[in-house]
Amino acid sequence: MTSSPTRFLSPSEIADLAGVSRAAVSNWRRRHDDFPPPAGGTDTKPLYDAEAVRTWLTGHGHQVKTPEHAAKLHGHLNIWRGSLPVVDLVTAALALLTIRQSAPTRWQHVTSGDLTDVAACLDELGVIEAHMLAELLTRMNETQPLAPLVTEIAGIPDSEQATTADTLLQRLTASRAYASEFASRASTTLIEAASSHLPADAVVYDPTCGFGGTLLAIASQVPGTHTRAYGQDINRSALAIAQMRALLHGIDADFTLGDVLTDDPHPQLLVDTVACEPPWALRWDSTHAASDPRWQFGVPPRMSADLAWVQIAIAHLKPEGRGYVLTTNAATSAGGVSRDIRSQLIRRGCLETIIAMPARMMTNTGIAFTLWVVRPPQPEATPVMFIDATGEREPENHIRSWLTGAQELPPHRQVPALEILAADATLTPQHWVSAPATMNLEESVSDLTTARDDLRTTQTRIAGLDLPSLDVPNAGMRVATVKELADSGMVTIHRLNRRETAGIDKHDPRLLRPSDLKNQILPPVETNTPPSGDVTEPGTVLVCVTGELHSAYDKHGGHLHQDWTIRLQANPEHIDPVYLAYCLGQPWNHRFFEGATIKRANINALEVPLPPLDVQHAIAEDLTRAHELKQAATQLAASANAAQRAFLNTLMAHTNAASKARV
């Protein structure tokens, strides 16, 4: 008797398994009579028995990937697909993962088929949909046995449960209906901006937390060991998912169900950081808003709650706290009540920075948006920094450096409060950054002179550099994983956990930033003060595995890093560390990222082509020449842009000065 399938695959999942396109899978289905027939799903969305597909692929000579844990769980959950909403499948799987991690004794009951304690267990853990989830799991078990799914979850290593949950969540909800719940470029911008001002043991709040992605990503970057996160959302299912994700990631979090626009569940709550990516231009009921102390700058108009979110952020900040809010561009220039609220925000010194962001950074809309950096009311009105980032290609990769002063700003201007108020409290950055009247002739001429000198210096530097040969060696080589290198003694892997990095001073000049590894330039250690943590040794290879994959060679050592970086100490008698650093950050290793909220690469799986040692030395020298050329070319482009901008600014300033002289 043939047993029923316990895991199903969709055509796109078959393509992932075989490393081919969906079109190739469609061709197999049409042209091969022996291709497994659909075992479930519908005519338009068929599902296939995973084991039958794997057998067919192997029999036809196709290489089959070992599926990640999330893919296996996805296959098991496909059994109920069509009979249950996707969000129910997500919450059911997360409930089982949460019980396994947070309640080991109750998990033993589940593995034996006993679901009677599920509701009580989830309720004790604070999950708001505890009884609904217990009923859901019981209903699923009555339709198809849960045992294969439970067995699969039991086999996931403890260290991989959180990333497996994130990846599974992203796979199961990969549709436009849930697009806003995952890390769009706008969400990444918000996370990076909010992470620029995180004191040790910071308290973080997101009043529109959804699945909790932004809140948990920020909380995971807080230095220290006593981080606390607060989240609120109007959607019960989304909040239950956020709660379970926080438990899986080991983040101390408090979630509240409700409409934050009409009811503040924590009126006394003051936090270090507020991050908010709300529904934009939302109509809301302001009938009873007049008595709400949060609207101290004015009740926002019913047609758009954009400025309500800004005020909510300010209302919950500690004296030194910062709020980061995304809004439509209209909120910076709308008239009427919106103008009056902006005026009050300016007079009270609540606006620190306003940044205009480019379009097409959201997954479900192409419109541009504005990032507000706000603070609690100040004793007097203060200038506002306006930044126009609309011309930047990847602002999400630079926003943190802009806000910390570690990187030169795009077009910007700091404007006195009185000048802004005189212009109807207009907060559109382009209005202030591009104003010709702000151009000073003397400063423009000085900038032009400097830009010319930089251009000549960079051109001379490039002329003195040697070109790399970039000849691909013919020597025999193989591809090795980092795990294989470690097992053979060629490298030693050193990971730091959050406890080990908790005492690191974020202002320590030895501390590396992700941008340092991205640019493959490690700043020299020029301090005699005692380090606030365990420093790197000379010759260390550093690999950033969280968020983005970058690697760099630390020639002199003496640096500090956080747990987003893994150290590799190479044995130079067997592998060239410079060569290793160049290889690890390459795009071919990007496929080893896992997780939706906090993407993290599996260091053990990263691959390196391994030629003989002498060939590695030659390649490292060649790539270093290419890297020096790239640095010089980047500087040349920047110098040319600066010279062009300085020339045109000088031209405009000269014209303005001549016009004033004639008057």
Side-chain angles (χ1 to χ4, degrees):
M1 180 176 178
T2 304
S3 60
S4 300
T6 60
R7 282 201 303 125
F8 286 118
L9 298 176
S10 67
S12 62
E13 291 166 337
I14 296 173
D16 290 341
L17 187 67
V20 299
S21 66
R22 284 196 63 176
V25 175
S26 296
N27 288 335
W28 294 342
R29 292 162 57 194
R30 289 196 306 267
R31 298 174 183 175
H32 293 271
D33 294 337
D34 61 338
F35 191 84
T42 65
D43 291 340
T44 56
K45 294 182 178 180
L47 295 171
Y48 298 83
D49 181 352
E51 291 308 314
V53 169
R54 180 178 286 275
T55 300
W56 186 89
L57 290 171
T58 304
H60 284 73
H62 298 286
Q63 284 193 338
V64 180
K65 297 179 183 177
T66 300
E68 59 184 11
H69 296 298
K72 292 179 181 179
L73 293 184
H74 194 187
H76 286 295
L77 291 169
N78 276 336
I79 293 175
W80 293 278
R81 197 159 190 169
S83 61
L84 288 172
V86 167
V87 72
D88 284 358
L89 298 180
V90 170
T91 51
L94 263 63
L96 292 173
L97 284 162
T98 301
I99 294 171
R100 192 214 144 167
Q101 176 165 299
S102 302
T105 302
R106 297 281 179 81
W107 175 248
Q108 295 301 319
H109 297 171
V110 173
T111 57
S112 65
D114 182 3
L115 301 178
T116 55
D117 286 343
V118 167
C121 176
L122 293 173
D123 193 51
E124 289 171 6
L125 293 172
V127 180
I128 63 170
E129 295 285 2
H131 293 279
M132 184 279 290
L133 287 171
E135 293 173 3
L136 172 62
L137 288 168
T138 300
R139 192 163 66 252
M140 291 172 64
N141 194 42
E142 292 171 350
T143 307
Q144 295 285 345
L146 279 174
L149 176 63
V150 170
T151 301
E152 195 71 62
I153 290 175
I156 301 173
D158 292 345
S159 61
E160 298 179 27
Q161 288 190 75
T163 54
T164 297
D166 289 342
T167 305
L168 176 67
L169 180 61
Q170 188 173 33
R171 291 174 68 105
L172 282 171
T173 56
S175 69
R176 291 185 63 86
Y178 298 97
S180 61
E181 295 294 348
F182 292 99
S184 66
R185 294 176 61 203
S187 300
T188 302
T189 299
L190 182 61
I191 293 167
E192 289 295 310
S195 300
S196 67
H197 185 84
L198 288 174
D201 301 328
V203 181
V204 185
Y205 174 47
D206 183 348
T208 57
C209 67
F211 287 172
T214 296
L215 179 65
L216 299 181
I218 296 168
S220 69
Q221 299 187 54
V222 174
T225 57
H226 299 92
T227 304
R228 184 156 181 79
Y230 289 85
Q232 182 167 358
D233 203 87
I234 200 170
N235 186 301
R236 296 182 67 88
S237 297
L239 206 65
I241 290 172
Q243 288 176 314
M244 291 186 286
R245 293 175 82 185
L247 289 167
L248 288 166
H249 281 283
I251 293 174
D252 184 12
D254 184 306
F255 292 95
T256 305
L257 178 69
D259 184 352
V260 71
L261 287 174
T262 59
D263 180 40
D264 187 353
H266 304 291
Q268 306 303 318
L269 176 66
L270 296 179
V271 303
D272 299 284
T273 302
V274 177
C276 183
E277 184 181 353
W280 291 346
L282 179 72
R283 295 189 180 191
W284 71 297
D285 182 6
S286 60
T287 305
H288 305 291
S291 60
D292 194 324
R294 294 176 298 174
W295 317 136
Q296 59 176 307
F297 308 105
V299 177
R302 293 185 180 185
M303 298 298 290
S304 174
D306 282 356
L307 291 176
W309 305 113
V310 173
Q311 295 190 73
I312 287 172
I314 294 170
H316 286 285
L317 289 174
K318 293 179 180 178
E320 300 300 322
R322 292 293 183 276
Y324 304 83
V325 184
L326 305 186
T327 73
T328 61
N329 290 342
T332 65
S333 59
V337 174
S338 296
R339 179 185 58 239
D340 297 339
I341 294 173
R342 292 196 307 272
S343 297
Q344 289 301 316
L345 291 169
I346 295 165
R347 289 189 176 97
R348 299 289 300 279
C350 294
L351 304 181
E352 185 171 270
T353 306
I354 306 292
I355 307 175
M357 305 300 293
R360 295 182 293 278
M361 292 187 67
M362 300 288 294
T363 52
N364 53 1
T365 179
I367 66 173
F369 62 93
T370 299
L371 169 63
W372 302 56
V373 182
V374 299
R375 60 192 173 198
Q378 303 297 302
E380 58 184 20
T382 56
V384 179
M385 174 62 77
F386 292 98
I387 301 175
D388 180 8
T390 56
E392 299 295 311
R393 294 186 61 184
E394 297 179 334
E396 66 273 26
N397 293 334
H398 305 289
I399 188 75
R400 189 190 302 215
S401 296
W402 293 341
L403 294 176
T404 59
Q407 187 174 333
E408 183 179 350
L409 294 174
H412 64 282
R413 183 189 169 205
Q414 192 169 53
V415 183
L418 290 178
E419 189 173 342
I420 305 172
L421 291 170
D424 283 340
T426 297
L427 297 177
T428 306
Q430 296 92 322
H431 173 86
W432 298 105
V433 173
S434 304
T438 67
M439 297 177 182
N440 179 280
L441 178 57
E442 184 177 341
E443 291 178 0
S444 297
V445 170
S446 176
D447 290 345
L448 179 57
T449 301
T450 301
R452 283 173 178 160
D453 291 343
D454 288 345
L455 199 56
R456 294 191 187 98
T457 300
T458 308
Q459 185 182 30
T460 302
R461 178 189 171 199
I462 288 181
L465 293 175
D466 294 329
L467 290 175
S469 63
L470 298 179
D471 294 327
V472 179
N474 294 320
M477 64 182 76
R478 65 183 180 88
V479 174
T481 66
V482 170
K483 185 178 187 303
E484 291 171 340
L485 297 179
D487 290 344
S488 63
M490 298 174 72
V491 301
T492 302
I493 303 174
H494 183 197
R495 297 176 174 87
L496 294 181
N497 56 43
R498 295 193 70 192
R499 188 178 300 277
E500 292 176 287
T501 61
I504 293 178
D505 179 3
K506 67 177 181 178
H507 300 297
D508 194 316
R510 300 176 181 83
L511 184 60
L512 294 171
R513 315 292 177 190
S515 57
D516 297 326
L517 270 66
K518 182 176 182 179
N519 298 328
Q520 295 184 307
I521 302 173
L522 301 188
V525 177
E526 298 177 350
T527 178
N528 295 321
T529 59
S532 56
D534 183 23
V535 299
T536 59
E537 298 177 14
T540 298
V541 175
L542 295 165
V543 188
C544 174
V545 295
T546 302
E548 295 184 356
L549 183 64
H550 304 297
S551 54
Y553 173 64
D554 190 358
K555 180 178 180 180
H556 301 291
H559 288 102
L560 294 167
H561 62 85
Q562 297 280 8
D563 58 351
W564 47 261
T565 299
I566 292 177
R567 292 186 211 171
L568 298 180
Q569 205 67 40
N571 184 339
E573 295 182 1
H574 297 288
I575 189 167
D576 187 308
V578 178
Y579 170 79
L580 179 64
Y582 279 122
C583 290
L584 290 175
Q586 294 304 306
W588 67 68
N589 283 323
H590 290 180
R591 69 186 190 276
F592 298 117
F593 269 109
E594 299 175 349
T597 302
I598 308 166
K599 293 184 180 296
R600 192 173 180 89
N602 180 356
I603 187 69
N604 289 315
L606 302 188
E607 296 176 345
V608 180
L610 206 61
L613 186 60
D614 60 332
V615 177
Q616 293 178 34
H617 293 329
I619 293 175
E621 291 176 3
D622 223 21
L623 292 176
T624 298
R625 294 191 192 98
H627 181 65
E628 290 172 349
L629 272 175
K630 182 178 73 172
Q631 287 181 268
T634 300
Q635 181 58 49
L636 182 64
S639 298
N641 285 336
Q644 184 184 55
R645 187 166 58 248
F647 171 77
L648 292 172
N649 285 346
T650 303
L651 181 64
M652 175 61 81
H654 181 76
T655 304
N656 286 339
S659 298
K660 290 179 181 178
R662 283 196 296 271
V663 174

